[in-house]
Amino acid sequence: MNNAWQLLRLASPQLPIGGYSYSQAMELAVDQGLVQDPASAARWIEDQLLLNLARFEAPLLLAHCVAAADEDWCELKALNECHRASRETRELHLESRQMGYSLQQLLDDLPEQDDAARALLADLEEPALAVAWSLAARAWRIAPQDALSAWLWGWLENQLAVLMKTLPLGQQSAQRLTSQLLPSLEHAQRTASELHPSRWGSAAFGLALASMAHERQYSRLFRS
């Protein structure tokens, strides 16, 4: 079988885990005028990619995928706890928990998932999205680096979808932004792949504050 099918499946916005429900504070940035046009949107997304995701979220997810591929269940449990502890706000915690739960439900109903992975998910108190993502990659025989690519692409695609609903941003403008941001996406993956665990970490104070403010935003379309 062509391995690309499973990779496209993992990266697809049709994956039924509810990613379209979340903006990761982009909605608040638009509401407050921090993001108001393609140029400011590009700055917001690029800062997220290079100052936050590349330094912590992405290397942590890659470590999940490596542990799952190696069937290192103890390491995977420890990484899941690290991921849970890193959620700075209530809505970011709920986002990861809900999407992780939805992906767990999907995997439990698919023949590709084996008993060892099912047992691990059942043993976790709150499987976060990262651990469920890594087990999906394992079940579908997707290499860890490719699983990271799918996750980064899905994140970028979702941010652009948020912009199309909130700015609004047209489809052609979104495609121009994609072309502009692909080098940053590549840079984020390369940084995440090379960063030693002792150097994992980011201090995305602006994102955390935006997320906390979004929790109290009067009118909103997204859950985060």
Side-chain angles (χ1 to χ4, degrees), residues 100-146:
Y101 173 80
S102 296
L103 188 48
Q104 176 188 1
Q105 296 299 106
L106 171 65
L107 291 172
D108 282 344
D109 197 41
L110 293 178
E112 299 98 317
Q113 186 81 310
D114 61 22
D115 290 340
R118 285 194 175 89
L120 174 74
L121 285 171
D123 191 45
L124 295 175
E125 181 180 350
E126 285 185 5
L129 175 61
V131 69
W133 191 273
S134 69
L135 291 173
R138 175 180 175 271
W140 295 336
R141 304 185 190 283
I142 299 170
Q145 281 289 347
D146 290 338

Side-chain angles (χ1 to χ4, degrees), residues 35-109:
V35 172
Q36 54 188 323
D37 53 29
S40 55
R43 284 194 300 272
W44 178 275
I45 292 173
E46 189 171 50
D47 283 352
Q48 270 257 60
L49 276 170
L50 302 182
L51 303 179
N52 182 30
L53 302 188
R55 296 181 180 182
F56 183 72
E57 298 275 353
L60 181 59
L61 181 114
L62 180 59
H64 277 79
C65 294
V66 170
D70 293 341
E71 299 185 1
D72 188 343
W73 308 127
C74 290
E75 176 68 5
L76 204 51
K77 286 182 179 180
L79 289 167
N80 181 66
E81 289 305 308
C82 179
H83 190 274
R84 284 181 59 195
S86 69
R87 304 303 88 189
E88 296 111 325
T89 68
R90 179 177 180 271
E91 68 174 19
L92 291 177
H93 169 75
L94 292 175
E95 174 184 343
S96 179
R97 186 178 73 178
Q98 185 274 317
M99 293 177 70
Y101 173 80
S102 296
L103 188 48
Q104 176 188 1
Q105 296 299 106
L106 171 65
L107 291 172
D108 282 344
D109 197 41

Side-chain angles (χ1 to χ4, degrees), residues 151-215:
W151 181 79
L152 285 168
W153 173 257
W155 180 88
L156 176 61
E157 194 170 51
N158 187 62
Q159 290 287 282
L160 294 173
V162 171
L163 289 169
M164 285 190 283
K165 295 174 183 176
T166 55
L167 273 183
L169 186 78
Q171 291 182 333
Q172 289 185 334
S173 294
Q175 286 300 314
R176 285 193 294 271
L177 263 182
T178 300
S179 295
Q180 180 181 343
L181 290 165
L182 281 178
S184 296
L185 203 68
E186 181 74 16
H187 187 188
Q189 173 152 12
R190 187 167 59 251
T191 299
S193 303
E194 297 171 354
L195 201 62
H196 190 273
S198 65
R199 298 182 60 195
W200 290 359
S202 65
F205 299 120
L207 177 64
L209 291 171
S211 177
M212 286 188 286
H214 185 262
E215 292 175 355

Side-chain angles (χ1 to χ4, degrees), residues 18-28 91 158-159 161-166 214-215 217 219-224:
Y20 62 86
S21 302
Y22 302 98
S23 78
Q24 297 199 344
M26 173 72 82
E27 184 176 26
L28 187 282
E91 68 174 19
N158 187 62
Q159 290 287 282
V162 171
L163 289 169
M164 285 190 283
K165 295 174 183 176
T166 55
H214 185 262
E215 292 175 355
Q217 188 170 326
S219 177
R220 61 185 190 178
L221 298 172
F222 299 93
R223 297 169 68 181
S224 80

